[in-house]
Amino acid sequence: MHKFSKTIFLFPKKVVTFWKQTARSSRIAFTLTLTAIVILAILGRIWMLSEHQNDKAIQKSHIQPVIFVPGSSATIQRFNSLFTTLNAETKKGAAHSILKVQVNNDGTLSYSGHLSTANRQPFIVVGFERNQDNYPTVQADAQSLGTVMADLQAKYHFRNFSAVGHSNGGLIWTDYLENYYSSNSFHIKTLMTLGTPFNFSETSTTKKTTMLSDFIANSSAIPTDLSVYSIAGSDDYTDDGLVNVQSVLTGKYIFQKQVAKYTQTTVSGENAQHSKLPENPEVINLIRELILDNKANEPNSSANKLKKESADDKR
Amino acid sequence: MFSKCLTKLAKFDKRFTENLLIRTLFDAFKKVVPLVIINVYLRLAVKLIFDPSAIVPAIFRIHFRMPIFFQSILALVSAFDYLILALVAALWTKSYLEAKLDDLGFTKDELLPVLVNFALALFYGFSTYSNNSQGAMYLIFVLLLTYLSNLTYIYLTKWTKGKLDDFGFAYLFWGAAIMAVVSWIYSSIPSQVSQGSYNGFFSMGFFSHWFGLAITAFLTPVVFVLGFAIPTDLTTTATDLTQVNANLNEVYQSVMATLPYPQNPYSVLTTSAMIGGAGSTLALTVCLLFLKRRRLRRLGLWSLVPGVFDSNRILAYGLPLFFRPLMVVPMMLASTYGALMTSFFIKLHVLRPTVFTVPNGTPRLLLSFLASQTPYDALLITFLIMVGSILIFWPFIKALEKEEEHA
């Protein structure tokens, strides 16, 4: 017993002697690493606490917003007419609520409208004050979109969403999906691009702009279970008055081998001009069926007609 | 009794490592250590910082814009893994054939078999590399094929009494035959094996009981030491196992709900049996820091940070851990000890199991603290596991130091 208590008593002294005999480099490395682990543990715990609350809310939340991004030179009002048409068809009291977020030049966010859970698929428009037609702007806006998405999730606790991008809005979504999207936080079901010039104004598919080359190079980051619909507007199958159809079609080099489903089609007729694509009746029909009603697999849907069209195109 | 067993094991280890085949293989491992260190740190930077789901961007709520060359870096890092494997195959072939042919009394230029085996290992990379995910790498495939290729080369030389030209038609035909057989073997590797994910298997009921988990914890270091890839279902902190999903759903319904699968591969094996990598090697790294022998201490210093983030590749090549009897025993003991401790405290309802998913790259040392609903109990148990593991490793690592001193 005496021997045992002596061993216990001498143990701390032995530890100190052992520590002093250890090489200096080892002592420094051990202490620094231990400190770093403690800091990481504290920060990690704080993050987990906030995230856990958010996770729980997300799990319980059933909303699956449709998030719209307008193109260059367009404001957050770009989709007003489309929303009016779609909401006119919904039952009374179950209209899609509309929330608009503008990213200002100084990075601040301005919210307008509201988001209610009356309809499971509220509409959110994310617009950018900086909206010139060039690649650096697309990159900067994609980064801001990452910030907006995190902010929206913290406020409204959703995980699933669908995306619609008009013109350069489609480029912003693509850049976002490749660089800022994390499948741990979100699940994007469908991306629909309207007249999106994946190769900017380049008409030849053999000449790739820097942006298109980057998109193709980073395409492996795009979620593989995504359905992508790329829609071009045209009267004469060359352009929609602004964007060349060939540039829209180059989207296939980014998505076709990566995503679960990639469909491209051309709409024509009334309102097929570039700026009016969101009001085109065929486009409205496609949004209704493919995004809102999710009828992509039904035999008589426009989506199936699209499939037939793309199969015919391939032939 | 213990010291007797340890002495016997150390003697066996010494005899084993003195075998020409193993000695030359270990020499090859040690030669590639600087490359492994560069590779491990590069992978660590990519894993911790640039991955959008990684711990650093998550905790600090920052998103690094992936540079344009990011995909190239990813490809480069993966290619690096295979290059290391190819170099091991080449270096091993060179020294093994040199010594073996010398013993047999033949003087040969080993360049052709070295090149063939280098290509054989690199070709394994080409056959299994995937751009989207880091595939599972099986060192054993390459080493076994390299060994068989060397054997056939020696037999051919013996059979022809060493009279053939080093780059003559017979040897060239031998090289072509080896490459043809190897490419056929690679093409028959099932894709599930090259991906290293067995979700359905580990979702089985057997892995929801302490005995199933203890057996797995016991065997995992053996699998690792033999050069097989550890299934990703046991190593990832964002697992998709049925048990984990069921637990998570339950917790989201009611915070302190009774979990349907308190014991599962995530809550027991990932959390406690693999701290620092397969075989709980973070404890081994800590032991190395306190040794007197400079080579081992330096290895400990290099592998400390990667060890915290659960990579033991520097030790695997540097010590080495691969094919080392003296190392596999404490790894098995420490791994099983960690699993049993956690299992025991879960069973006693002292510890609520690891249930939440955490960002990629989160150290398993902190996993239960961050993802259990009883974080402070979890921290205490992790501390006990670490102390116990260090005590398990210490006598073995002292025996290793002694063995190196006498070498």
Side-chain angles (χ1 to χ4, degrees), chain A residues 18-19 22-23 25-26 29-30 33 37 40-41 43-45 47-48 50-52 55-56 59-60 139 143 175 178-182 184 214 217-218 220 258, chain B residues 52-53 55 58-61 63 65-66 68 71 131-132 249 252 255 286 289-290 297 301 304 308-309 356-359 363 365-366 369-372 375 394:
Chain A
F18 181 73
W19 177 255
T22 304
S25 55
S26 295
F30 185 77
T33 310
I37 292 170
L40 198 62
L43 292 176
R45 189 72 209 157
W47 180 83
M48 278 304 283
S50 68
E51 201 63 13
H52 176 205
D55 269 2
K56 262 170 70 182
Q59 193 86 357
K60 284 182 178 172
Q139 288 176 306
Q143 188 167 13
D175 198 289
E178 291 190 350
N179 296 298
Y180 305 103
Y181 173 84
S182 163
N184 280 359
D214 287 353
N218 294 328
S220 62
Q258 175 66 17
Chain B
S53 317
I55 185 164
I59 286 181
F60 294 101
R61 297 189 189 280
H63 290 281
R65 189 182 170 81
M66 288 192 194
I68 292 164
Q71 288 296 330
N131 201 22
N132 293 338
N249 280 336
Y252 283 138
V255 178
V286 173
L289 289 179
F290 297 102
R297 219 173 48 234
L301 285 172
L304 186 60
V308 168
F309 292 98
F356 302 114
T357 50
V358 294
L365 186 67
L366 299 175
F369 175 62
L370 298 181
S372 158
W394 185 250

Side-chain angles (χ1 to χ4, degrees), chain A residues 130-141:
Chain A
R130 179 182 173 180
N131 57 11
Q132 295 82 0
D133 183 19
N134 56 51
Y135 186 29
T137 303
V138 169
Q139 288 176 306
D141 288 351

